[in-house]
Amino acid sequence: AVVDSRLSNDAGKADWWLPIQPNGHGALAMAMIRWILENERYDQRYLENANKAAAVADGEPTWSNAALLVKIVGGHPIALLKADEAGIGSAEQKVVSRGGKLIPVDPKDSKTPVEGDLYVKTEVNSVPVKSAFQLLAEQAFSRPFADYAEESGVDAKTIIEVAREFTSHGKRAAVGLYRGPVQQTDGYYSACLI
């Protein structure tokens, strides 16, 4: 699948050409994220791994920050919650929630596996917190899928077909970024979504 405003040589040879609107890359990414979340076509086991030990235990080469808790101040996420702020560990440790229990985590720890829940919205010492995954999901569901499709310039049916195909390959799926998505005003943010 090639995402490009113009019918480039690559797009002409692709299974799918997604003729994106200028600056529509973020909307396309959010549409795909929303569909992937709605259809639970993400690797939950991998995303729950909050440190190196958990990744190794699951046979994964890396781990994720999806379960880490983020402080919400004034309605905005501002920083990862530190274990000392939660009263459960040191300032160097972060925090996850597992079954409602707060657990300190050092992401680089290779001895004690720590996994966290992906959907977390709670308070810790009167400070609202959400998991990083919860924040992504809320953002993805903040607008209807059809709005994302319209803003991207790609029809909804094509987005769904590409998202289904992309998620059908598991860890072998890959995204390459060049030109349009990253070489524009909001390129960095589009790349973060992708």
Side-chain angles (χ1 to χ4, degrees):
V2 173
V3 178
D4 199 332
S5 299
R6 60 193 179 87
L7 183 58
S8 64
N9 288 334
D10 288 342
K13 296 174 185 172
D15 292 327
W16 288 285
W17 169 42
L18 286 72
I20 197 94
Q21 289 292 326
N23 290 327
H25 298 89
L28 175 63
M30 290 304 289
M32 289 184 66
I33 289 168
R34 182 180 169 124
W35 185 89
I36 289 166
L37 294 175
E38 282 178 327
N39 293 278
E40 297 181 4
R41 293 184 61 108
Y42 53 88
D43 188 345
Q44 179 176 340
R45 183 175 172 194
Y46 169 79
L47 293 170
E48 289 178 342
N49 291 331
N51 68 1
K52 185 176 183 176
V56 169
D58 283 346
E60 298 285 356
T62 62
W63 57 97
S64 170
N65 66 358
L68 297 182
L69 298 184
V70 179
K71 296 182 287 187
I72 310 298
V73 176
H76 301 286
I78 61 159
L80 293 172
L81 179 67
K82 296 178 183 178
D84 66 335
E85 295 170 318
I88 60 171
S90 71
E92 292 76 34
Q93 294 173 306
K94 307 305 180 212
V95 181
V96 298
S97 177
R98 190 65 162 180
K101 180 184 176 192
L102 297 179
I103 303 169
V105 60
D106 172 1
K108 296 178 184 174
D109 179 4
S110 60
K111 295 184 177 128
T112 307
V114 177
E115 295 179 343
D117 294 330
L118 296 180
Y119 288 99
V120 178
K121 180 180 179 180
T122 189
E123 283 192 9
V124 175
N125 296 331
S126 301
V127 176
V129 297
K130 296 178 182 180
S131 65
F133 192 85
Q134 176 78 38
L135 289 167
L136 176 64
E138 288 178 7
Q139 186 62 44
F141 287 98
S142 69
R143 296 176 54 199
F145 180 87
D147 287 0
Y148 288 129
E150 182 179 345
E151 185 178 328
S152 75
V154 180
D155 69 275
K157 181 179 180 251
T158 300
I159 294 172
I160 291 168
E161 287 175 7
V162 171
R164 181 177 288 116
E165 178 70 18
F166 181 72
T167 57
S168 70
H169 296 283
K171 295 179 189 327
R172 295 184 320 253
V175 175
L177 300 173
Y178 187 68
R179 291 193 175 195
V182 293
Q183 295 185 0
Q184 59 179 325
T185 305
D186 65 349
Y188 170 79
Y189 301 104
S190 294
C192 287
L193 285 171
I194 296 168

